[in-house]
């Protein structure tokens, strides 16, 4: 029960962070591995998906009621993410994730430097793509990030947000809304695949789901109240923390 209480707190914080800027896995996934260090990674990541999908769904609903979701890019990204996240979850049960673990800190550094250098990035909502170009870009983004989320996961929400900001010209608030919808699809696909393989602890997952929803309620409320500038600041903090944590995990631990 001590582990359940510890992971409920972690899930609340993860839900809060994820609702604002993505990156809730920074808290939730390390907490899972800390509480159960000898359990198979697929089981821990599968149970983590059950917790995180509840908070993601709640955040998507809250954003959807207050922020317009642009389905021209979001819908194709959802479809691709759903398919490729399931493929990534299958790959998780077959291949080692170590090369991805070592590359991740460097990818995040590039993402952080670009975001900080472009001070006006995500401050204005000015969609840049339409028609076939928009659909193709959305399919590619959903496929790549969806596969990554299925096979590994930390920082998926952050990657989705920067894709909607940089590629499609959204501000951070609209990017957060679309990212939550796509992230819901990646979580659902991975959850279904891992559940079919028996990699879910349902009781723990349910506890984490309730806590994650509570955290997402707080986080989405803060984001909607304070707008894109607030989301951008939290995004930078979260990505910085992700760099430190993933570098530690990959090279120092």
């Amino acid at each position: 029960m001590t582990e359940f209480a510890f992971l409920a707190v972690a899930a609340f914080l993860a839900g809060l962070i994820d609702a604002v800027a993505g990156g809730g896995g920074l808290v939730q996934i390390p907490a899972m591995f800390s509480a159960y260090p000898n359990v198979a990674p697929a089981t821990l990541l599968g149970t983590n998906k059950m917790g995180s999908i509840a908070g993601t769904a709640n955040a998507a609903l809250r954003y959807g009621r207050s922020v317009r979701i642009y389905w021209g890019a979001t819908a194709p990204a959802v479809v691709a993410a759903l398919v490729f996240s399931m493929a990534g979850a299958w790959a998780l049960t077959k291949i080692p994730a170590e090369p991805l673990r070592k590359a991740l800190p460097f990818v995040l550094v590039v993402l952080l430097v670009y975001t900080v250098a472009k001070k006006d990035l995500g401050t204005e909502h000015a969609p840049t793509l339409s028609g076939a170009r928009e659909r193709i870009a959305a399919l590619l983004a959903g496929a790549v990030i969806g596969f990554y989320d299925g096979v590994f996961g930390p920082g998926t929400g952050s990657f989705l947000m920067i894709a909607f900001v940089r590629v499609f010209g959204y501000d951070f608030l609209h990017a957060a809304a679309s990212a939550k919808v796509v992230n819901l699809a990646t979580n659902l696909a991975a959850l279904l695949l891992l559940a079919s393989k028996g990699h879910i602890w349902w009781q723990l997952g349910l506890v984490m789901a309730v806590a994650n929803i509570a955290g997402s309620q707080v986080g989405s409320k803060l984001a909607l109240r304070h707008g894109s500038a607030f989301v951008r600041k939290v995004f930078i903090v979260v990505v910085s923390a992700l760099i430190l944590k993933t570098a530690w995990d990959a090279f120092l631990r």
Side-chain angles (χ1 to χ4, degrees), residues 3-17:
E3 288 85 357
F4 274 42
F6 168 66
L7 290 172
V9 173
F12 175 86
L13 294 173
L16 191 157
I17 293 168

Side-chain angles (χ1 to χ4, degrees), residues 55-78:
T56 303
N58 178 74
L61 283 172
R62 283 186 65 90
Y63 278 115
R65 290 172 183 158
S66 304
V67 177
R68 178 183 173 186
I69 294 176
Y70 289 79
W71 292 104
T74 305
V78 165

Side-chain angles (χ1 to χ4, degrees), residues 56-57 59-81 125 127 129-139 164 168 170 174-185:
T56 303
L61 283 172
R62 283 186 65 90
Y63 278 115
R65 290 172 183 158
S66 304
V67 177
R68 178 183 173 186
I69 294 176
Y70 289 79
W71 292 104
T74 305
V78 165
V79 173
H125 186 69
L129 298 177
S130 62
R133 291 179 62 200
E134 181 182 45
R135 290 191 292 274
I136 291 170
L139 287 169
F164 278 107
F168 299 101
Y170 292 9
H174 285 84
S178 290
K180 290 293 154 280
V181 176
V182 180
N183 208 177
L184 181 62

Side-chain angles (χ1 to χ4, degrees), residues 215-241:
S216 76
Q217 286 276 82
V218 176
S220 54
K221 184 175 181 179
L222 287 171
L224 291 167
R225 177 183 296 174
H226 298 291
S228 288
F230 171 75
V231 177
R232 183 180 189 274
K233 290 174 184 176
V234 176
F235 178 83
I236 290 171
V237 171
V238 168
V239 172
S240 299

Side-chain angles (χ1 to χ4, degrees), residues 20-198:
V20 178
L26 171 70
V27 176
Q28 198 159 291
I29 292 174
M32 295 282 293
F33 279 89
S34 174
Y36 298 103
N38 299 316
V39 174
T43 299
L44 295 180
L45 291 171
T47 305
N48 169 72
K49 290 296 181 191
M50 184 179 174
S52 60
I53 193 173
T56 303
N58 178 74
L61 283 172
R62 283 186 65 90
Y63 278 115
R65 290 172 183 158
S66 304
V67 177
R68 178 183 173 186
I69 294 176
Y70 289 79
W71 292 104
T74 305
V78 165
V79 173
L82 191 66
V83 173
F84 280 86
S85 179
M86 192 168 289
W90 175 84
L92 171 65
T93 67
K94 302 293 182 182
I95 62 174
E98 193 61 26
L100 198 57
R101 187 192 302 272
K102 291 186 181 297
L104 183 57
F106 299 101
V107 175
L108 288 167
V109 167
V110 173
L111 180 64
L112 178 63
V113 170
Y114 182 82
T115 305
V116 172
K118 293 274 190 177
K119 297 192 181 297
D120 59 344
L121 186 71
T123 57
E124 294 185 6
H125 186 69
T128 55
L129 298 177
S130 62
R133 291 179 62 200
E134 181 182 45
R135 290 191 292 274
I136 291 170
L139 287 169
L140 287 173
V144 172
I145 300 174
F147 184 84
Y148 167 77
D149 191 37
V151 79
F152 195 47
T156 296
S158 300
F159 286 129
L160 285 168
M161 282 185 63
I162 203 65
F164 278 107
V165 170
R166 178 63 186 90
V167 177
F168 299 101
Y170 292 9
D171 64 15
F172 271 100
L173 191 61
H174 285 84
S178 290
K180 290 293 154 280
V181 176
V182 180
N183 208 177
L184 181 62
T186 67
N187 283 337
L188 177 61
L191 178 66
L192 291 173
L193 191 286
L194 292 170
S196 73
K197 300 288 186 180

